Amino acid sequence: MRRLVMWDIDYTLLRGGGVAAKAWRAAFTEVTGVAWRDTPVFGGRTDTDICTEVFASHGVTDCTHERFFARYVEAVHEIRHEFTVQGQLMPGVRAVLARLGDDPQVVQTLVTGNVPEVAAIKVAAFGLDGSFDAEIGGYGTDDSVRATLVRRCLERARAKYGEDFAPVVIGDTVHDVTAALANDAVAIAVATGSTAAPELAAAGAHVVLPDLSDLEAAIRSVKTLTT
């Protein structure tokens, strides 16, 4: 059975340097006419979930997610050049993606809280877009619950390839870990975000890596761990 490796983006593959958050604030104010007041916790959450919270905390009741996201995607596209200026790849990412990409027993995709267009812009900014089958990914517009994104990704992969997969989720937050476990997927956690390694382990991660700079350890985790 081949492995379906589902990558989180932010603080797992790369650090965006606040570029998307900047676009989010600008788009919100432009679309709603309401001054930005409260910044939510973004880490590990879906854009749909965050959007609902932001609307509520700012008292906005006359704007749809679809209308906001359309302007948000445009705003990110307008400043996409800033990702490589303000952000950076996380350690070891390029080498791990390349090694897994050479393995016919591995299919790589994205499971991210980002809307699909913003996910594409982020990975393309660092030249990673060729590493993933983005068509089968799980995205922040699929659902507000991250575990559902993993399930949708698995469903899309099975439909496209006509086979079952051994699922693996790689992420930096407790949300990534719990979403993996809810779908009987291997949960590989990287302590490259704001969540400390002990907290990731306590959430049930099958392995916690400090980062992906140890290529052999990362590949071994992806290829050999089971639920």
Side-chain angles (χ1 to χ4, degrees), residues 56-149:
S57 67
H58 286 80
V60 175
T61 59
D62 60 347
C63 182
T64 65
H65 288 182
E66 291 78 10
R67 183 180 168 211
F68 165 74
F69 285 139
R71 180 62 193 117
Y72 168 57
V73 169
E74 291 176 351
V76 173
H77 185 74
E78 289 163 4
I79 59 173
R80 65 191 184 281
H81 61 280
E82 295 184 17
F83 280 112
T84 53
V85 177
Q86 304 294 334
Q88 65 183 52
L89 278 181
M90 305 310 284
V93 163
R94 206 176 293 279
V96 172
L97 291 177
R99 177 74 73 83
L100 292 176
D102 289 336
D103 190 334
Q105 292 303 308
V106 173
V107 173
Q108 299 186 91
T109 189
L110 301 167
V111 168
T112 171
N114 290 279
V115 299
E117 298 89 344
V118 172
I121 291 169
K122 286 182 177 181
V123 297
F126 293 92
L128 304 180
D129 42 323
S131 299
F132 310 106
D133 183 347
E135 183 181 38
I136 62 172
Y139 300 98
T141 45
D142 284 328
D143 198 82
S144 61
V145 178
R146 197 171 185 102
T148 305
L149 274 54

Side-chain angles (χ1 to χ4, degrees), residues 3-226:
R3 299 223 158 192
L4 178 65
V5 181
M6 295 171 272
W7 288 91
D8 171 54
I9 293 178
D10 296 295
Y11 290 94
T12 299
L13 290 172
L14 57 91
R15 180 176 63 80
V19 176
K22 175 182 174 181
W24 185 290
R25 293 190 296 269
F28 176 81
T29 299
E30 181 179 334
V31 169
T32 66
V34 177
W36 184 269
R37 297 192 305 269
D38 304 310
T39 299
V41 175
F42 283 85
R45 299 173 64 190
T46 68
D47 278 355
T48 298
D49 181 33
I50 296 166
C51 191
T52 299
E53 178 185 325
V54 169
F55 284 4
S57 67
H58 286 80
V60 175
T61 59
D62 60 347
C63 182
T64 65
H65 288 182
E66 291 78 10
R67 183 180 168 211
F68 165 74
F69 285 139
R71 180 62 193 117
Y72 168 57
V73 169
E74 291 176 351
V76 173
H77 185 74
E78 289 163 4
I79 59 173
R80 65 191 184 281
H81 61 280
E82 295 184 17
F83 280 112
T84 53
V85 177
Q86 304 294 334
Q88 65 183 52
L89 278 181
M90 305 310 284
V93 163
R94 206 176 293 279
V96 172
L97 291 177
R99 177 74 73 83
L100 292 176
D102 289 336
D103 190 334
Q105 292 303 308
V106 173
V107 173
Q108 299 186 91
T109 189
L110 301 167
V111 168
T112 171
N114 290 279
V115 299
E117 298 89 344
V118 172
I121 291 169
K122 286 182 177 181
V123 297
F126 293 92
L128 304 180
D129 42 323
S131 299
F132 310 106
D133 183 347
E135 183 181 38
I136 62 172
Y139 300 98
T141 45
D142 284 328
D143 198 82
S144 61
V145 178
R146 197 171 185 102
T148 305
L149 274 54
V150 175
R151 178 170 58 81
R152 295 276 172 83
C153 180
L154 275 165
E155 291 169 350
R156 288 168 180 149
R158 289 167 182 151
K160 178 174 180 176
Y161 291 96
E163 62 185 278
D164 287 328
F165 289 89
V168 178
V169 172
I170 306 177
D172 68 290
T173 72
V174 167
H175 295 291
D176 297 298
V177 174
T178 57
L181 299 179
N183 289 276
D184 295 321
V186 169
I188 298 176
V190 286
T192 44
S194 60
T195 308
E199 187 176 351
L200 294 167
H206 293 91
V207 66
V208 181
L209 304 173
D211 56 34
L212 297 171
S213 58
D214 186 335
L215 176 60
E216 297 308 323
I219 298 301
R220 185 167 56 250
S221 297
V222 170
K223 295 296 298 293
T224 64
L225 288 174
T226 58

